[in-house]
Amino acid sequence: SGKQTLKIFDGNDAVKRNQFRLISVPRIAKNEEVVEAALRAYYINDDQQEYELQTFTQQVLLSDDVINRNDAAEDSNLGSVFRESVPEAWIIRAKPKDGEVIRIYPAWLKVGMAYVSLRVNKDSTTQTVIKEVLPLLGRQTECLQDFKLVEVLMGSKQVQRMVLDNQELILNRLKDIRKTSIRQMNQTRFYIVENSKSIVRVSLFVGGLPPQLSPEEYTNILKDELAIKTNVVAVSHVYQAQGAVVLEISCFSEAERIYMLVKDTTVNDKPLNAVVIPEVMASKIPQNCCPLLVFVNPKSGGLKGRDLLYSFRKLLNPHQVFELTNGGPLPGFHTFSKVPSFRVLVCGGDGTVGWVLGALEEIRHKLVCSEPSVAILPLGTGNDLGRVLRWGAGYSGEDPYSILVSVDEADDVLMDRWTILLDAEESAEGAEDGVAEPEPPKIVQMNNYCGLGIDAELSLDFHHAREEEPGKFNSRFHNKGVYLKVGLQKISHTRNLHRDIKLQVDQHEVELPSIEGLIFINIPSWGSGADLWGSESDNRFEKPRIDDGLLEVVGVTGVVHMGQVQSGFRSGIRIAQGSYFRVTLLKPIPVQVDGEPWIQAPGQIIISAAGPKV
């Protein structure tokens, strides 16, 4: 063969661990070609002229006096790396330098400046670097002793920090890092950090508690269940409606004990959850800065949610990315409660978006920025809201960085939200002795649509199928296949929903045609992108918009009609448009709101506009 395979180590650390990468090069390759291939194997984009290859012998780690092929001046007429007895393993080494340019990152937020570049020479120490950097960052009047230089290694699994000694020679430090690992040098940054007096203060969000209790009652529960020490633990915030508190803890070991204990504690058969809340210094955020609060539902979109969680934690400060399966949206909103201006990115299906908007509505009065704009990265099956707001039909693996750019460039629009009051006159189950206990009224929020009849019945069957075998429902394609199968089973249904319900729109009775499903729509996308209302102009109704304060009411005659709407051949039967609706159910009927289905007992359903638009 004209090719040869070589082992390449990127430094002493790789040699110790015996972790090498293989490259394949022609037998007559020149030095620089082999160096280039070796750097490429480790994804290092630096100039190859700055590196050389050293033959690997056991002495490498003991001494630097190793044969260096690149310096073989008397052999310069031979251009090839390979000789008669070619060693199979090589180490990439950086050539010694008399000076170089390094980047220093400020450890505080400075808009428009990520880092400053500084030339260092063989006499440059940590102290001289700090002295030269402060004027470049506009801090020249401050005392050198108030700052330190921190070396931060951002590896794939952990972040390591080391404060550099004031007299440390910077070039020597760079040489040591490169000797340990060339790749490690690419993952190392230098930060200039203000010295601060460290005060132990851990904020711990504890959720899953019974709602609507007083702060004293919550403290007593925590004393009983977690044996909290009141001399180091105080309840700083109470969210009564959500059954959650924030604890301020002034002792690390006590914070750790409570955090671990919460995970194994249940109150009223409901497990508690704990999230460590980072401290955001709102006063230090520049005026024209609008940070992004990211919520990710790792259960949405197959495994894509989990991957996005990791990606956004790498691209942003990991403290601004929250996992919704751990405590829901409340910990994130609490963390950002003092931030004067922020935006939100929700990664999940329409149900996840509704969950976050509902939490925002409940906590809005406690936020300095009470109306943050919300962007959507659609991970669900239908993603109707994502389609309408032009975020796409579903995430298909785009670069997470480009998504952040899109969020930054997106325009604000307003959207109506609706409150649905469900007041059952008798329980759906029916009680013993024939005496039915009335269910308490239930209030739900709606963003997209509310369906009664066949539409909700298909959702309910799909929901049951997913609960039985959740592992199978990890792709949009499979989910839609199940919807189709469920629909085909209902194809011979009779059309008599209009006999089982009565509809009032803005205080007027509306006569219903012969239908099997009644749907209230807030956005012009239903069932994964179908236009249920249709685009034809109609002088009886206004052109629908998502911020017009009106809902459209549409009927479907059955599964076949729904299929034709999905395919774009037909639209629904336009019934009404209004801002206040009362539906009377004469018998138990399937109902779904934004994809969440259930059987609703006979009684009243009232739909009206909810609070401010989002």
Side-chain angles (χ1 to χ4, degrees):
S1 161
K3 292 241 173 187
Q4 171 139 336
T5 301
L6 302 177
K7 289 180 186 176
I8 302 290
F9 295 94
D10 80 323
N12 295 355
D13 191 54
V15 172
K16 279 179 190 164
R17 299 168 189 269
N18 195 29
Q19 289 178 340
F20 53 83
R21 295 194 179 174
L22 294 174
I23 61 168
S24 179
V25 289
R27 286 184 181 278
I28 55 166
K30 288 194 161 55
N31 275 356
E32 46 270 29
E33 291 171 26
V34 185
V35 171
E36 190 182 349
L39 291 173
R40 206 182 307 126
Y42 282 98
Y43 303 106
I44 294 165
N45 299 322
D46 301 354
D47 182 2
Q48 67 188 52
Q49 302 294 330
E50 295 177 5
Y51 295 93
E52 57 196 11
L53 285 176
Q54 221 174 49
T55 54
F56 170 59
T57 66
Q58 287 311 310
Q59 304 144 295
V60 165
L61 295 177
L62 308 172
S63 142
D64 279 344
D65 305 328
V66 202
I67 304 159
N68 186 337
R69 294 281 179 166
N70 288 26
D71 293 338
E74 68 278 12
D75 237 335
S76 56
N77 60 328
L78 291 164
S80 168
V81 164
F82 305 107
R83 302 289 181 272
E84 289 305 310
S85 55
V86 177
E88 286 194 1
W90 300 76
I91 301 176
I92 311 171
R93 291 290 191 206
K95 292 179 182 175
K97 297 178 182 177
D98 291 330
E100 64 179 289
V101 175
I102 61 168
R103 290 175 176 181
I104 306 288
Y105 292 78
W108 55 89
L109 187 62
K110 191 161 176 63
V111 173
M113 185 185 283
Y115 59 84
V116 291
S117 298
L118 195 71
R119 176 163 284 282
V120 292
N121 58 34
K122 59 183 190 310
D123 300 321
S124 301
T125 65
T126 300
Q127 199 158 17
T128 62
V129 165
I130 293 174
K131 189 176 179 180
E132 288 177 48
V133 163
L134 287 178
L136 300 175
L137 294 170
R139 310 282 293 259
Q140 58 270 34
T141 57
E142 301 188 37
C143 177
L144 292 184
Q145 277 65 45
D146 292 342
F147 295 88
K148 59 192 174 192
L149 196 62
V150 180
E151 178 189 311
V152 180
L153 168 62
M154 290 182 270
S156 57
K157 294 195 172 62
Q158 60 183 354
V159 176
Q160 295 174 357
R161 299 162 191 270
M162 186 173 83
V163 179
L164 296 182
D165 183 80
N166 275 345
Q167 301 311 314
E168 176 130 31
L169 291 166
I170 298 298
L171 274 187
N172 285 359
R173 182 70 204 131
L174 297 176
K175 185 180 170 187
D176 289 346
I177 297 169
R178 290 190 176 111
K179 202 176 279 184
T180 304
S181 164
I182 298 287
R183 204 171 24 147
Q184 185 174 312
M185 186 66 226
N186 276 19
Q187 297 170 339
T188 299
R189 281 183 176 184
F190 295 98
Y191 281 86
I192 184 161
V193 179
E194 286 180 81
N195 292 320
S196 59
K197 295 182 179 71
S198 64
I199 302 162
V200 175
R201 188 172 66 202
V202 180
S203 294
L204 193 64
F205 173 94
V206 178
L209 294 160
Q212 306 300 355
L213 300 182
S214 67
E216 293 74 30
E217 288 172 306
Y218 284 124
T219 305
N220 290 335
I221 288 176
L222 295 170
K223 277 183 188 170
D224 295 343
E225 299 292 340
L226 304 173
I228 61 170
K229 299 170 186 167
T230 47
N231 60 328
V232 290
V233 181
V235 175
S236 65
H237 295 78
V238 174
Y239 294 101
Q240 289 168 309
Q242 296 84 4
V245 297
V246 178
L247 304 178
E248 286 281 337
I249 308 167
S250 57
C251 167
F252 276 131
S253 57
E254 176 67 354
E256 190 176 24
R257 185 189 70 81
I258 293 172
Y259 180 75
M260 300 307 287
L261 192 57
V262 164
K263 297 186 169 190
D264 300 321
T265 305
T266 55
V267 174
N268 297 354
D269 295 329
K270 194 176 172 189
L272 300 185
N273 54 69
V275 182
V276 177
I277 299 289
E279 183 186 3
V280 176
M281 296 183 185
S283 60
K284 294 202 173 189
I285 298 174
Q287 279 184 326
N288 55 345
C289 184
C290 188
L292 188 65
L293 169 59
V294 182
F295 291 113
V296 182
N297 186 348
K299 290 184 175 175
S300 296
L303 298 172
K304 291 198 182 90
R306 178 70 54 195
D307 294 341
L308 280 166
L309 186 71
Y310 297 148
S311 296
F312 286 134
R313 280 183 175 162
K314 282 182 179 176
L315 288 166
L316 300 166
N317 184 326
H319 290 309
Q320 68 194 90
V321 183
F322 287 82
E323 188 175 347
L324 284 169
T325 46
N326 191 12
L330 198 55
F333 284 126
H334 174 81
T335 302
F336 273 58
S337 59
K338 300 281 187 288
V339 176
S341 170
F342 69 93
R343 299 169 105 185
V344 179
L345 171 62
V346 183
C347 308
D350 287 348
T352 304
V353 177
W355 184 16
V356 171
L357 292 179
L360 173 59
E361 192 59 48
E362 289 176 344
I363 197 180
R364 187 190 292 276
H365 61 286
K366 294 191 176 183
L367 301 177
V368 174
C369 173
S370 59
E371 294 186 3
S373 307
V374 180
I376 299 166
L377 180 55
L379 296 181
T381 303
N383 302 319
D384 288 292
L385 193 52
R387 291 168 197 263
V388 168
L389 297 170
R390 298 212 287 274
W391 292 106
Y395 176 67
S396 52
E398 298 90 321
D399 175 25
Y401 179 78
S402 68
I403 292 160
L404 294 177
V405 172
S406 301
V407 172
D408 198 44
E409 294 172 348
D411 297 319
D412 292 347
V413 293
L414 288 171
M415 186 180 84
D416 299 322
R417 291 185 79 228
W418 300 81
T419 297
I420 302 178
L421 174 73
L422 303 124
D423 194 1
E425 281 160 10
E426 56 178 272
S427 76
E429 306 299 322
E432 293 166 28
D433 310 329
V435 182
E437 273 292 310
E439 289 182 355
K442 176 178 168 183
I443 295 175
V444 293
Q445 302 291 333
M446 170 192 134
N447 301 307
N448 300 2
Y449 37 71
C450 166
L452 288 79
I454 185 67
D455 163 56
E457 199 172 329
L458 295 187
S459 272
L460 196 62
D461 288 356
F462 174 82
H463 200 69
H464 290 326
R466 182 158 64 178
E467 280 183 342
E468 280 171 23
E469 297 182 279
K472 288 187 177 177
F473 288 74
N474 55 11
S475 81
R476 283 186 206 112
F477 191 71
H478 177 270
N479 294 0
K480 287 176 180 174
V482 174
Y483 256 122
L484 179 66
K485 185 176 160 191
V486 165
L488 292 173
Q489 291 164 353
K490 308 273 180 193
I491 223 152
S492 58
H493 263 216
T494 50
R495 302 176 191 171
N496 54 10
L497 180 72
H498 56 287
R499 294 185 197 141
D500 301 329
I501 62 175
K502 290 179 184 170
L503 174 65
Q504 236 186 42
V505 179
D506 296 333
Q507 313 293 336
H508 301 293
E509 291 285 338
V510 173
E511 195 174 331
L512 293 172
S514 175
I515 52 171
E516 210 186 315
L518 186 71
I519 302 158
F520 298 82
I521 48 178
N522 185 39
I523 61 172
S525 176
W526 165 85
S528 304
D531 184 3
L532 197 53
W533 183 257
S535 53
E536 309 82 54
S537 56
D538 184 336
N539 50 19
R540 292 179 302 157
F541 305 110
E542 290 182 36
K543 190 173 188 289
R545 295 203 324 270
I546 63 171
D547 63 346
D548 57 5
L550 299 172
L551 277 183
E552 287 68 49
V553 187
V554 182
V556 288
T557 59
V559 173
V560 174
H561 186 185
M562 284 169 70
Q564 290 167 328
V565 171
Q566 294 271 6
S567 310
F569 299 135
R570 279 178 75 182
S571 46
I573 302 164
R574 293 179 184 178
I575 293 172
Q577 196 178 39
S579 58
Y580 184 85
F581 306 86
R582 179 186 289 269
V583 183
T584 307
L585 306 189
L586 305 175
K587 61 179 259 192
I589 282 173
V591 172
Q592 69 109 336
V593 175
D594 291 346
E596 291 297 320
W598 68 90
I599 300 283
Q600 181 62 25
Q604 304 286 326
I605 298 178
I606 295 169
I607 305 175
S608 57
K613 300 176 196 287
V614 289

